[in-house]
Amino acid sequence: MELNYWLLAIVIVILIVTRFIPVKGITNITPTEAKEKFKQKNVQFIDVRTPGEYTRNHQLPFRNIPLYELTQRVNELNKTKDVVVICQSGIRSSKAARVLKKHGFNQIFNVKGGMSAWKRMKMQNN
C-alpha cells in the first residue's frame, strides 16, 4: 500500500512540474513588451477572454477569440506570423499559447498578468 502512495506522489509531482516548464516557442512578456510589438507588422494579437469581458475592456489591436472557441477557430490565424495572446490574468492566455503550439504556431507570446497587468501599467504611466 505504501508503494501506491509513493507512485501517486511521484505522478502528482511530475504533473505539477510539467505545467510550469516553459514550452519552446512560447515566451512570457510584459504588457510593455506587448505594446512594443504593436509597431511590428508580422504580429497578430488575440484576446482569449469571453466576449463580455472583451466588450467591457479591451485593447486594440487585440481581437477576441475566446479560449473555448480557439481550437475551432485556429484556422483564422496565420501560422507564419507571431501571436501575442492576452486574457484577464495570464492563465487562460497561457493555456491558449499551448493550444496554438500544438497547432503548429512557432512564435507565441503570452502577456504575463494579462489585462490586469495592462491596467496597472497604464495607471503607472499616467
Side-chain angles (χ1 to χ4, degrees), residues 6 24 36 113:
W6 279 107
K24 186 177 180 181
E36 282 296 312

mmCIF file of all heavy atoms in Angstrom, residues 6 24 36 113:
data_model
loop_
_atom_site.group_PDB
_atom_site.id
_atom_site.type_symbol
_atom_site.label_atom_id
_atom_site.label_comp_id
_atom_site.label_asym_id
_atom_site.label_seq_id
_atom_site.Cartn_x
_atom_site.Cartn_y
_atom_site.Cartn_z
ATOM 1 N N TRP A 6 3.545 6.344 -2.815
ATOM 2 C CA TRP A 6 4.741 6.914 -3.423
ATOM 3 C C TRP A 6 4.554 7.115 -4.916
ATOM 4 O O TRP A 6 4.938 8.148 -5.469
ATOM 5 C CB TRP A 6 5.973 6.026 -3.154
ATOM 6 C CG TRP A 6 6.541 6.272 -1.786
ATOM 7 C CD1 TRP A 6 6.468 5.450 -0.708
ATOM 8 C CD2 TRP A 6 7.243 7.430 -1.358
ATOM 9 N NE1 TRP A 6 7.076 6.023 0.376
ATOM 10 C CE2 TRP A 6 7.563 7.252 0.005
ATOM 11 C CE3 TRP A 6 7.620 8.614 -1.979
ATOM 12 C CZ2 TRP A 6 8.252 8.214 0.735
ATOM 13 C CZ3 TRP A 6 8.314 9.558 -1.246
ATOM 14 C CH2 TRP A 6 8.618 9.349 0.099
ATOM 15 N N LYS A 24 9.068 25.417 -25.552
ATOM 16 C CA LYS A 24 9.848 26.082 -26.595
ATOM 17 C C LYS A 24 8.897 26.747 -27.591
ATOM 18 O O LYS A 24 7.964 26.131 -28.067
ATOM 19 C CB LYS A 24 10.730 25.061 -27.309
ATOM 20 C CG LYS A 24 11.673 25.681 -28.294
ATOM 21 C CD LYS A 24 12.577 24.656 -28.909
ATOM 22 C CE LYS A 24 13.514 25.340 -29.889
ATOM 23 N NZ LYS A 24 14.401 24.388 -30.539
ATOM 24 N N GLU A 36 5.089 47.206 -27.365
ATOM 25 C CA GLU A 36 6.165 47.438 -28.338
ATOM 26 C C GLU A 36 5.930 46.630 -29.615
ATOM 27 O O GLU A 36 6.296 47.064 -30.701
ATOM 28 C CB GLU A 36 7.524 47.059 -27.735
ATOM 29 C CG GLU A 36 8.078 48.082 -26.790
ATOM 30 C CD GLU A 36 8.374 49.409 -27.478
ATOM 31 O OE1 GLU A 36 9.008 49.406 -28.547
ATOM 32 O OE2 GLU A 36 7.960 50.453 -26.942
ATOM 33 N N GLY A 113 0.298 38.406 -16.588
ATOM 34 C CA GLY A 113 -0.596 39.256 -15.800
ATOM 35 C C GLY A 113 -1.805 39.757 -16.559
ATOM 36 O O GLY A 113 -2.689 40.376 -15.977
#
